[in-house]
Structures are given as structure tokens and as C-alpha cells.
Amino acid sequence: MQAVNFFFINALLFASLIAVVGVPYFYMTQSDPSDRRNPEIKKVEIIGGVWFHLVLIEGVIANLI
């Protein structure tokens, strides 16, 4: 069980690193800042969604251990 928890902790840390580096990068490299549905914003939303779900999964697994 600790191996599963270790896997999710590392996945959460990696996703946090991607979010910290990726979100400002995608905002700075927008082709059209006035367009709210451009591909860069969609990438930011996907990164945020993955990070949020990893946090939820980590919380559930931490309660089981």
C-alpha cells in the first residue's frame, strides 16, 4: 500500500511542477489573449483538472493507510 501511496505522491508532485511551470508559460504565449477558448487556455484547464484529481486520489489513499 505504501508503494501505491508513493506513486500518487510523486505523480502529484510532478503535476504540481508542470502546473507551476506550464500555466505561466501558456498564458505568456497566447496567440490571442482576448479569445477565452484558445488552445493555451484549454491546456491550462487540463493541467489544473489532472492536478485536482491527483489531490483527491491522494487524500483518499492517505485515509486508507
Side-chain angles (χ1 to χ4, degrees):
M1 199 63 171
Q2 285 182 339
V4 173
N5 195 21
F6 179 74
F7 171 77
F8 281 109
I9 287 173
N10 284 331
L12 178 62
L13 289 173
F14 183 69
S16 297
L17 175 65
I18 290 174
V20 166
V21 173
V23 170
Y25 172 76
F26 287 132
Y27 273 119
M28 289 186 298
T29 59
Q30 291 185 67
S31 55
D32 184 16
S34 63
D35 182 16
R36 299 298 295 161
R37 299 307 305 164
N38 58 20
E40 290 86 3
I41 298 297
K42 288 181 184 178
K43 291 175 187 173
V44 170
E45 291 172 351
I46 290 170
I47 290 171
V50 168
W51 184 82
F52 178 74
H53 285 92
L54 284 173
V55 168
L56 288 178
I57 292 169
E58 175 61 33
V60 169
I61 290 176
N63 281 334
L64 296 175
I65 295 179

